[in-house]
Each structure stands twice: as structure tokens, then as C-alpha cells.
Amino acid sequence: MFEPTVIIAAASLIGLVIVAAALLRGWHDWIELKRIELEREEAPQKDTGSAMGAARIELADLRERIKKLEAIASGVDL
């Protein structure tokens, strides 16, 4: 009737198709999630401040920390 190798090959092929379909479905859902996130970011936000201003403040804070660490490393008291 059917040889075991044919049955194993058919089962493997069916399993591969199922896994590929599941991965494709997950990929499409992930792409849709990212699309929704991008649409949400493009909408104007009234309550929050400028992201650029916050980034500048954070950058200035990091520069100040670096200066303090360099001073500590060189043995200078601030």
C-alpha cells in the first residue's frame, strides 16, 4: 500500500505548510500592529510637550553627567 517514507514525507510537508501559514499570519498581524502604532504617532498630541525639547534637555543632562564623571576620573573636585 503506502510505504513509510511516503507517509513521513507527506506528514512533514503538511507540517511545514501549517507552520508556514502560522508564521505568515503572525507576520501580517505584526505589520498591522506597526501600522496602527505609526498612525497613532502621526496624530497630534495636545497634552504632551515637544519631543525635540525633551530630547535636548536629556542630552544636556547626559553631557553634564559626562563632565562630572570625567572630573571624578581625573581627580578634580567640583
Side-chain angles (χ1 to χ4, degrees):
M1 188 127 159
F2 289 112
E3 292 187 31
T5 55
V6 173
I7 294 173
I8 291 172
S12 298
L13 185 61
I14 291 171
L16 182 65
V17 168
I18 290 172
V19 169
L23 288 173
L24 185 62
R25 173 70 186 239
W27 176 256
H28 283 288
D29 289 345
W30 183 78
I31 293 291
E32 184 63 30
L33 174 68
K34 291 300 174 181
R35 185 176 296 129
I36 291 170
E37 287 178 357
L38 285 174
E39 289 174 358
R40 192 173 295 161
E41 285 180 8
E42 290 175 1
Q45 298 175 354
K46 297 177 183 176
D47 296 333
T48 60
S50 171
M52 183 63 79
R56 287 182 183 163
I57 292 171
E58 187 173 344
L59 187 60
D61 184 45
L62 289 174
R63 286 182 180 152
E64 184 178 335
R65 287 183 183 183
I66 289 173
K67 286 180 183 178
K68 287 181 181 179
L69 289 173
E70 288 174 345
I72 291 171
S74 65
V76 176
D77 288 331
L78 295 178

